[in-house]
Amino acid sequence: RMPTLSGLRRRGVPPEALKRFCSAIGVAKAESLVDIQMFDSVIREYLNEVSKRAMCVLDPIKLVITNYDESNEEFLSIPAFHSDHNLKLNRKVPFSKEIFIEKNDFSLNPPQGFHRLTIGGSVRLRNAYDIKCENVVYNENGEISEIHCTYDKNSKSKVDKSIKGIIHWVSASRGINISVRLIDSLFLTAEPDLSDENFEHLLNPNSLRQLSNCYAEPSILENIHTTRFQFERIGYFMIDNKLSTSNSLIFNRIVSL
């Protein structure tokens, strides 16, 4: 979208990252252009250092761990920041029999090199357990509504090197329902003013996509209005304080990973 200071602030870009970017590019006497990828890279580098970690599922599908006790619920202690961060704090993440994972982390007919979940295949749930997919459940429209798996209860503290895939997840019963706005470039070309085409034809139709029915772990509620998060495996996000209400939490993507 339009990279105004007001827009960048609302998106969640921290002022420290802007200062770091200005120091990196310096001042030139001649007119020059800087690739937007460099701008994003500086923001990404800074946010990686300071952002709180959390898990969020943007396109959820339910996964049921059939051999997990339905009455049981664990609270896993997971690092809240990057390992190099000065604050060595942990966050408590609920884990239970039913969780949400991303739809694209499962495939019935996986392509070559697919290391995520498939029937008969195993993956590791991030900071949790190893699971193996046993079968799926279809709804009346013939679409997959649930994935049924078993878990290795002894795998929390050990790593099975034969399992290559690691996927993120959110507790189905404790997950916080949010909406996510994915913000991208306003134009399809880097220099639309040099094109002979009508600028309207150069507008990116996907410059703003809003996803509803996303689920995030409960730790996002702590200092939610001032905290920037890294949604693991997805990108960096911050709440939109203008659009959000107590009943409708909306997050803007600051930059992708």
Side-chain angles (χ1 to χ4, degrees):
R1 310 294 277 184
M2 291 295 287
T4 61
L5 286 176
S6 177
L8 292 173
R9 185 184 300 114
R10 179 173 172 184
R11 205 172 88 194
V13 176
E16 295 85 356
L18 292 178
K19 292 176 183 177
R20 185 179 292 189
F21 172 70
C22 292
S23 297
I25 63 174
V27 179
K29 293 182 179 180
E31 183 177 339
S32 60
L33 290 176
V34 178
D35 194 321
I36 190 66
Q37 297 302 322
M38 180 180 179
F39 180 64
D40 288 344
S41 178
V42 172
I43 296 170
R44 190 178 293 115
E45 179 184 282
Y46 178 80
L47 290 173
N48 183 51
E49 299 170 3
V50 303
S51 294
K52 187 176 181 182
R53 270 45 178 176
M55 289 187 287
C56 178
V57 176
L58 302 187
D59 188 16
I61 185 170
K62 183 178 287 187
L63 185 149
V64 180
I65 304 173
T66 56
N67 63 333
Y68 192 90
D69 187 352
E70 190 169 0
S71 63
N72 189 32
E73 183 179 43
E74 298 177 68
F75 286 85
L76 306 179
S77 183
I78 301 175
F81 294 94
H82 190 277
S83 57
D84 293 334
H85 198 282
N86 292 331
L87 295 176
K88 305 300 182 183
L89 300 178
N90 287 343
R91 65 191 200 269
K92 297 295 184 181
V93 181
F95 182 85
S96 55
K97 185 180 181 71
E98 296 184 353
I99 61 175
F100 290 124
I101 67 168
E102 299 282 1
K103 283 183 180 178
N104 63 8
D105 277 336
F106 175 81
S107 176
L108 284 174
N109 301 294
Q112 187 174 1
F114 186 85
H115 296 307
R116 288 163 284 169
L117 199 58
T118 186
I119 292 181
S122 298
V123 297
R124 184 165 184 82
L125 295 175
R126 194 170 186 87
N127 296 301
Y129 297 97
D130 298 338
I131 59 170
K132 180 179 179 180
C133 180
E134 304 295 345
N135 57 68
V136 297
V137 176
Y138 294 90
N139 61 21
E140 57 186 14
N141 297 320
E143 302 168 334
I144 296 175
S145 59
E146 289 184 358
I147 302 169
H148 286 192
C149 296
T150 54
Y151 87 117
D152 178 358
K153 65 179 180 180
N154 298 315
S155 61
K156 185 165 65 171
S157 58
K158 66 178 183 179
V159 177
D160 185 343
K161 294 184 178 179
S162 66
I163 297 178
K164 297 181 179 180
I166 301 176
I167 62 175
H168 61 281
W169 53 275
V170 171
S171 168
S173 60
R174 299 270 190 171
I176 305 301
N177 185 251
I178 65 172
S179 295
V180 167
R181 287 157 44 101
L182 302 179
I183 299 168
D184 205 342
S185 300
L186 182 60
F187 291 99
L188 296 171
T189 179
E191 299 182 63
D193 53 324
L194 299 182
S195 175
D196 294 330
E197 290 189 60
N198 186 318
F199 83 94
E200 292 181 352
H201 298 157
L202 302 175
L203 291 173
N204 179 4
N206 295 315
S207 63
L208 177 60
R209 292 185 295 138
Q210 182 155 326
L211 307 178
S212 57
N213 202 38
C214 307
Y215 286 90
E217 64 178 70
S219 70
I220 67 164
L221 297 178
E222 184 178 350
N223 300 322
I224 189 172
H225 295 289
T226 57
T227 302
R228 295 171 178 85
F229 296 93
Q230 183 197 96
F231 288 165
E232 300 187 34
R233 298 180 65 222
I234 300 175
Y236 297 95
F237 293 79
M238 186 173 181
I239 194 169
D240 191 315
N241 286 305
K242 288 190 175 181
L243 294 179
S244 295
T245 65
S246 58
N247 297 320
S248 176
L249 301 177
I250 301 173
F251 282 76
N252 291 323
R253 183 174 67 184
I254 306 170
V255 67
S256 61
L257 286 180

